[in-house]
Amino acid sequence: MKKTYAYNGIVLGILAGFCVGALTDSIALAIIAGVAGSVLFFFLIRTIEKAIDKGVDAAAGAIKNRIDASHQKKAAEKQNAAMTAEQGTFCVYCGEKIPAGIEICPKCGKSINE
Ligand SMILES: [Zn+2]
């Protein structure tokens, strides 16, 4: 089971019971406040924890989707690069497209295999 801080709620409830007991000078009221406070704080903390878990899960899902999209984009870019190399390259001097198998740029005349 996941770590929970809900049991701290029982400690808070007992403290509340002590406070009520000290203020009202009544052991009965202290016990009632202690029990009621323990239950209340326990479920309050539990509810907050669940809400946080839900938010964390949603955020993790959103981050995963982004990473997946990024991987997809990278794969497409890689494929593009492979296709470009197969079909030819671009001259590093003038940017002219050079078909595969040709080693001298038809535009600027420089050798691309340097
Ligand atoms: Zn060129």
Side-chain angles (χ1 to χ4, degrees):
M1 200 188 147
K2 235 179 140 182
K3 189 179 180 5
T4 175
Y5 291 93
Y7 296 105
N8 293 333
I10 294 168
V11 178
L12 281 176
I14 291 165
L15 281 174
F18 275 120
C19 290
V20 169
L23 287 170
T24 60
D25 225 7
S26 160
I27 289 169
L29 275 178
I31 290 168
I32 290 166
V35 171
S38 296
V39 172
L40 195 78
F41 282 122
F42 181 88
F43 283 106
L44 187 71
I45 292 170
R46 202 77 201 89
T47 303
I48 292 167
E49 282 178 342
K50 274 182 187 165
I52 290 170
D53 278 354
K54 224 173 168 183
V56 168
D57 283 349
I63 290 167
K64 194 185 169 291
N65 282 346
R66 284 223 182 155
I67 290 170
D68 285 351
S70 163
H71 282 173
Q72 230 166 11
K73 199 181 163 208
K74 269 191 191 148
E77 280 170 358
K78 218 174 171 181
Q79 210 176 14
N80 265 348
M83 258 174 67
T84 307
E86 223 169 82
Q87 291 173 347
T89 56
F90 291 93
C91 176
V92 292
Y93 303 102
C94 70
E96 180 77 3
K97 193 172 188 301
I98 303 166
I102 292 180
E103 290 174 10
I104 303 226
C105 174
K107 194 180 178 189
C108 70
K110 284 183 177 156
S111 172
I112 58 160
N113 283 337
E114 272 175 14

